[in-house]
Amino acid sequence: MPEHTVDPLDRKIIAALVVDGRATWSTIAAALGEAERTVARRGSRLLESGMVEIRGMADPHRTADSDPFIVHGRCRPDSTLTAAVALAHRPESVTVYVLSGPQHCYADIWAPRRRQSRLFLQEMATPSGFLQMDISPVLEYIRTLHDWEPGILTVTQTAEIRRIPKTRWPQFTDPVVLDREDKALVGLVVENGRASFEELSRLVGISEQTVKRRIDKMRQSGLLTFRAVFDPALIGLPVAALLWIRAKPSKVSAVAEALAAQPFLRYAAIIMGAHQIVADFRLPSKEALRELMLEAEWLEHVDLLESSLILETLKQSRVLAGDLG
């Protein structure tokens, strides 16, 4: 992603798109108390420059009968990037990082249930560059990007922008079968989450009213969500770190609850393996990271804390870094 500097209004517009990636410029302008023309111009520039992309995401558990896993491991120093790029180009990966520390590569993977053993034991068993690969099933999400808000907007502004009530995502309920029109709509908004109802209507061959009703229904049920994909450094959060946490089993829930209250927590999950929790933080400074790792009250429940800086993001929300401009 190219490096850019944005001003406070741009940051508010980005935060508004985090709340609802399909919110109209008029809705955002009204919530922010700004002129619609100014917000439309600024917002369009953010999207057209590639600094921000809006992508639709269908619940992979219900639409593809897939389960979440964290894939992480050590690589040869001269092959780390090669291994990470290979993970990023896999269709099952959602997020891929290059890390500092003992864990060099990290990937959030949604693996189709019918082919998990083949995927992990054959297709991904010996990717170029890996010395060791660990597969950690996700047991529960503490926070996903669907729930993350960067704390830039007020509660009132957020409520004015959010047209569709927030639902739990993903929802680990029975898989669903989408009909032809819904599959087509999902495929289109995955590529362009800001596509107009008029454009979607023309491409799918159904009325605008029907398109809006179907999109709203999928969003209200939690089947479809929209994400603003951008570098958090744009909004003043340049420090990216992963924390790997091990605690006594009886204390995992307490740690998870405390983490969920952290304003800089972007993503966290309870996982199987050597650690019970992995947490993705985006912070304003190294000092804030130091305070988190050394002074947070929840640390009293932690037996082992390992950390890595996120050195490079190769994929987020299924968007390859090269696609971000």
Side-chain angles (χ1 to χ4, degrees):
M1 178 178 291
E3 294 185 2
H4 295 274
T5 301
V6 298
D7 66 16
L9 178 55
D10 283 340
R11 292 184 182 186
K12 289 181 181 180
I13 293 171
I14 293 172
L17 292 171
V18 170
V19 174
D20 184 351
R22 288 190 62 84
T24 64
W25 300 131
S26 61
T27 296
I28 294 174
L32 300 183
E34 300 285 346
E36 181 179 346
R37 179 179 298 180
T38 300
V39 169
R41 175 172 52 81
R42 295 286 198 96
S44 296
R45 181 182 64 85
L46 290 168
L47 296 175
E48 291 167 2
S49 69
M51 285 189 283
V52 182
E53 286 201 25
I54 307 300
R55 297 291 183 104
M57 288 192 69
D59 184 332
H61 181 77
R62 287 193 286 166
T63 59
D65 198 18
S66 297
D67 295 319
F69 295 81
I70 300 300
V71 175
H72 52 107
R74 295 185 298 110
C75 305
R76 296 194 307 272
D78 61 344
S79 300
T80 297
L81 192 57
T82 299
V85 168
L87 285 174
H89 279 89
R90 292 207 62 89
E92 303 89 356
S93 65
V94 177
T95 300
V96 178
Y97 298 142
V98 175
L99 307 175
S100 69
Q103 301 289 332
H104 302 135
C105 291
Y106 169 98
D108 178 3
I109 300 280
W110 278 87
R113 189 166 296 174
R114 67 183 183 280
R115 49 185 291 269
Q116 288 174 5
S117 61
R118 185 166 70 252
L119 175 67
F120 293 129
L121 300 180
Q122 296 179 15
E123 298 176 29
M124 295 176 59
T126 55
S128 174
F130 269 98
L131 297 173
Q132 174 189 340
M133 177 184 286
D134 295 321
I135 312 295
S136 300
V138 173
L139 299 180
E140 180 183 342
Y141 285 110
I142 299 169
R143 177 175 295 168
T144 68
L145 292 187
H146 175 72
D147 303 309
W148 178 65
E149 293 175 4
I152 293 173
L153 304 181
T154 67
V155 173
T156 299
Q157 289 171 328
T158 298
E160 290 177 357
I161 293 165
R162 178 172 288 124
R163 185 174 64 87
I164 303 293
K166 182 179 287 187
T167 58
R168 182 172 175 266
W169 195 97
Q171 295 187 18
F172 292 100
T173 55
D174 293 337
V176 299
V177 178
L178 300 178
D179 63 20
R180 183 188 67 82
E181 287 83 6
D182 281 346
K183 283 183 179 179
L185 287 172
V186 168
L188 290 168
V189 297
V190 162
E191 293 300 319
N192 178 12
R194 295 283 294 184
S196 67
F197 292 129
E198 179 183 4
E199 180 181 359
L200 295 172
S201 169
R202 176 174 52 81
L203 292 173
V204 178
I206 55 179
S207 70
E208 286 186 48
Q209 184 178 5
T210 301
V211 167
K212 182 178 183 303
R213 185 175 67 250
R214 284 174 175 255
I215 294 273
D216 284 354
K217 181 178 179 181
M218 286 190 282
R219 295 183 70 183
Q220 289 164 352
S221 70
L223 191 68
L224 179 65
T225 188
F226 289 88
R227 289 187 180 175
V229 183
F230 62 97
D231 183 348
L234 286 175
I235 57 173
L237 302 174
V239 178
L242 281 185
L243 301 187
W244 304 86
I245 299 166
R246 184 189 303 167
K248 292 181 176 64
S250 61
K251 298 299 184 180
V252 171
S253 294
V255 174
E257 183 177 351
L259 286 173
Q262 297 293 313
F264 298 126
L265 180 72
R266 195 166 180 244
Y267 166 99
I270 297 175
I271 60 176
M272 297 179 67
H275 303 86
Q276 292 108 336
I277 296 174
V278 59
D280 181 340
F281 279 90
R282 303 305 167 105
L283 304 109
S285 65
K286 291 283 185 67
E287 176 62 21
L289 177 59
R290 188 199 69 78
E291 292 178 3
L292 174 71
M293 294 176 55
L294 300 180
E295 300 178 12
E297 292 184 2
W298 51 268
L299 290 169
E300 65 179 327
H301 302 307
V302 173
D303 292 334
L304 178 66
L305 176 68
E306 296 183 359
S307 58
S308 302
L309 283 178
I310 298 172
L311 301 179
E312 188 168 357
T313 299
L314 299 185
K315 192 176 190 179
Q316 58 174 324
S317 296
R318 298 193 184 276
V319 179
L320 289 169
D323 293 341
L324 298 176

